Amino acid sequence: MKALSHDSTALYDIPGPKTVRRHKLYGVISTLIVLALVGWLLYLLFDTDQFTATKWTPFEYKGIQELLLRGLGNTLKAFAISAVLALALGGLLAVGRLSDHRPVRWLATLVVEFFRAMPVLVMIFFVFVALKVQPLPALVAGLTLYNGSVLAEVFRSGVNSVERGQREAAYALGMRKTQVMGHVLVPQAVRAMLPAIISQLVVALKDTSLGYLITYEEFLHAGKLIASNLDYDLPFIPVVMVISPIYIGMCMLLSWFAQWVSKRQRRNPKTEAADVAPAEPGTLLPGTQ
Amino acid sequence: MDVLTDNFSTFGKGFLGTVELTVYASLLALALGFVMASFRVAPVGSFRAFGTAWVTVLRNTPLTLLFFAVLLGLPRFGLVLPFKVFAVLALGCYTSAFICEALRSGINTVPKGQGEAARSLGMSFGQTLSMVVLPQAFRSVIAPVGSNLIALAKNSAIAGAFSVTELLGSYKTLSELGYNIIWTFVWIALGYLIITLAISAIFNVLEKRWGVAR
């Protein structure tokens, strides 16, 4: 017998022959609608001459390719630096939030809550405009502060997700807090929160594109340079068509990696107990952590 | 301090712009997210595929790229709309993917037996979803939807950088007038805090009233 093919709740019965026919009809109709939309889009593209040779030949020039590659390199550079720094800051803030000393805890909480409540772009602009910093450090600073704060919450909930008994047992053995953390809680927590960490890195990768707005010469910036060139007949749509799949593809790869890790974790009996909530996009709601 | 008192109208305009953008984009995101979530649990395969594609693509698109494509790209198609409408479209579509996922996870928290009971009463997919499952799902997704809307409010800053009248955009006007830039940013930050705190307060009230602990 064929079981329900997806993991949702049992919202409908296994369809009988008549319903299968009806669903097929719906399927055909909706596919036709989508195809019609795609066709209309293609018509618009052709109608506005987006496929004329002058708009696409620039991509054959070596200079243009190098410009795009340099932009992509700059994007990845900003991502790599801010990912490393955000992980470090997140670790530091998480240690602060889990501290036994009240002032330290309050300070860390204040920092985390403030930077999660601010739009990343405002932070980036603040560093760039008010502190007059170069574009790359400004972008990295903004991304590090925001993602570091979110990661601190992920780390904290990861450590707290390890069963209480483990901590108690370790203390009962006479371990000090550092030992309990280092030997017992963190090794287990890291496993459980790995998917959440990678998902947050996707956010960081996506947000590197904000560098475009402060004239950091990243991928989108390179695209803009090409798109606004009169010599190439302003190939705006072609640029979007070249850049978007690469950008979205990179983020998708990272997302899939996170999903793959999380699926693997779920099969692993060692991590079954701990379940870390995914990183929320920044919130002041007490209920969501 | 003078920055605020001297330029109250500039800040006020920016603040109202952000609120307006947030409200319209939220409505669009909620509506679209609802439709996409229903698609993703529908019995028809092509609906599910469309919903999945929508969510996967939009969740992995940098919002700046989306604004870039919509604000600067669509006019080349001959599709010319006011800047604000474009901004609402981009923000709303982007957030709808996250709302959809929040709703879907809410649907998954409703015990399977409820759906089975509804079916055994002879309810169709639409009836089961709208009369039994969704009302309960809504109660458990209040908090995640709230945090997505907060994220939307914060993301609306990008529209400001693409020069829609909006809170962040007001720094440009003021820096040209020679005001202390640091104070300008303090007030902008405060403006965003007011908006995000307001959304979180609204959703806290909603959660107290309707939320369920699962």
Side-chain angles (χ1 to χ4, degrees):
Chain A
M1 196 185 92
K2 195 172 152 248
L4 281 175
S5 56
H6 62 107
D7 59 352
S8 145
T9 43
L11 291 169
Y12 45 85
D13 273 312
I14 299 164
K18 208 168 142 194
T19 316
V20 166
R21 269 201 304 280
R22 196 159 46 95
H23 285 172
K24 267 195 191 132
L25 182 69
Y26 292 159
V28 169
I29 293 174
S30 60
T31 312
L32 283 179
I33 293 174
V34 171
L35 281 181
L37 279 174
V38 171
W40 179 61
L41 211 68
L42 280 175
Y43 166 76
L44 274 181
L45 285 172
F46 274 108
D47 195 43
T48 49
D49 295 330
Q50 302 300 339
F51 290 119
T52 47
T54 42
K55 293 205 174 189
W56 286 88
T57 39
F59 293 103
E60 286 170 9
Y61 301 154
K62 197 135 186 120
I64 296 285
Q65 288 168 1
E66 272 167 9
L67 184 70
L68 280 173
L69 273 181
R70 214 173 325 129
L72 192 59
N74 281 340
T75 289
L76 292 175
K77 190 164 98 189
F79 168 63
I81 301 174
S82 38
V84 171
L85 290 180
L87 285 169
L89 179 70
L92 199 70
L93 286 173
V95 168
R97 289 210 65 177
L98 292 164
S99 166
D100 287 334
H101 305 286
R102 205 172 281 169
V104 178
R105 217 161 51 218
W106 283 351
L107 188 69
T109 309
L110 196 71
V111 171
V112 166
E113 288 303 329
F114 178 76
F115 286 117
R116 285 202 315 161
M118 273 301 107
V120 205
L121 192 59
V122 171
M123 291 185 241
I124 295 174
F125 264 106
F126 177 78
V127 179
F128 180 64
V129 179
L131 306 181
K132 298 201 172 51
V133 176
Q134 291 296 307
L136 176 63
L139 177 64
V140 167
L143 290 182
T144 302
L145 286 174
Y146 176 71
N147 292 300
S149 308
V150 178
L151 281 174
E153 281 303 280
V154 173
F155 292 160
R156 192 177 68 103
S157 69
V159 168
N160 284 338
S161 76
V162 179
E163 263 182 303
R164 224 187 135 67
Q166 303 252 357
R167 174 188 320 231
E168 284 163 1
Y171 277 122
L173 286 174
M175 284 186 171
R176 311 183 54 146
K177 191 181 174 197
T178 337
Q179 289 175 309
V180 176
M181 281 287 170
H183 292 304
V184 181
L185 299 182
V186 172
Q188 297 185 71
V190 165
R191 244 201 217 117
M193 62 202 178
L194 206 55
I197 295 173
I198 303 172
S199 318
Q200 191 56 36
L201 292 184
V202 179
V203 176
L205 177 57
K206 279 162 61 175
D207 282 353
T208 53
S209 62
L210 293 171
Y212 163 74
L213 298 170
I214 55 164
T215 66
Y216 175 55
E217 288 171 353
E218 45 81 78
F219 200 34
L220 206 54
H221 190 268
K224 169 84 177 175
L225 275 186
I226 303 165
S228 51
N229 198 325
L230 265 175
D231 292 345
Y232 306 139
D233 201 16
L234 298 171
F236 210 96
I237 307 290
V239 161
V240 170
M241 281 159 78
V242 168
I243 283 186
S244 309
I246 299 177
Y247 242 129
I248 298 171
M250 286 193 301
C251 299
M252 260 185 202
L253 272 180
L254 207 52
S255 301
W256 272 329
F257 180 54
Q259 267 166 27
W260 178 77
V261 171
S262 121
K263 229 177 245 162
R264 237 176 65 117
Q265 303 279 21
R266 232 172 285 147
R267 281 203 307 267
N268 187 346
K270 283 181 199 157
T271 54
E272 219 172 22
D275 191 16
V276 176
E280 289 291 341
T283 163
L284 295 155
L285 291 166
T288 49
Q289 279 144 32
Chain B
M1 199 57 197
D2 297 349
V3 192
L4 182 68
T5 41
D6 290 358
N7 299 288
F8 202 76
S9 66
T10 311
F11 274 113
K13 223 156 112 204
F15 185 78
L16 287 182
T18 297
V19 171
E20 201 187 350
L21 197 58
T22 306
V23 169
Y24 288 138
S26 296
L27 291 178
L28 179 65
L30 286 172
L32 264 177
F34 174 77
V35 172
M36 289 302 154
S38 331
F39 276 10
R40 290 207 67 177
V41 296
V44 183
S46 60
F47 282 27
R48 280 204 302 275
F50 183 71
T52 312
W54 178 270
V55 168
T56 316
V57 170
L58 279 172
R59 278 220 300 189
N60 290 301
T61 308
L63 187 53
T64 324
L65 174 66
L66 193 61
F67 267 107
F68 183 82
V70 170
L71 288 175
L72 307 172
L74 285 186
R76 318 273 157 157
F77 272 178
L79 201 68
V80 185
L81 291 169
F83 230 40
K84 216 174 246 172
V85 179
F86 274 144
V88 167
L89 273 179
L91 260 181
C93 289
Y94 177 78
T95 316
S96 75
F98 296 89
I99 301 269
C100 164
E101 285 308 272
L103 278 177
R104 200 170 66 101
S105 70
I107 290 174
N108 285 336
T109 64
V110 178
K112 235 183 160 119
Q114 305 250 352
E116 283 165 356
R119 272 166 39 209
S120 71
L121 288 174
M123 286 184 174
S124 66
F125 168 72
Q127 286 172 320
T128 312
L129 197 62
S130 64
M131 293 165 78
V132 177
V133 175
L134 275 182
Q136 301 184 74
F138 276 133
R139 298 175 59 182
S140 64
V141 297
I142 293 172
V145 166
S147 69
N148 278 324
L149 294 188
I150 290 174
L152 185 153
K154 297 194 301 175
N155 283 333
S156 68
I158 298 177
F162 277 97
S163 88
V164 177
T165 313
E166 185 269 355
L167 200 47
L168 180 61
S170 49
Y171 97 87
K172 285 182 203 149
T173 326
L174 295 180
S175 71
E176 276 155 22
L177 291 170
Y179 281 99
N180 184 342
I181 202 81
I182 296 195
W183 274 105
T184 313
F185 270 99
V186 170
W187 296 120
I188 290 176
L190 210 68
Y192 277 107
L193 269 185
I194 292 172
I195 294 173
T196 50
L197 282 174
I199 301 177
S200 111
I202 293 170
F203 275 84
N204 270 334
V205 170
L206 290 181
E207 217 195 347
K208 266 204 197 94
R209 191 166 295 173
W210 290 317
V212 274
R214 273 185 208 280

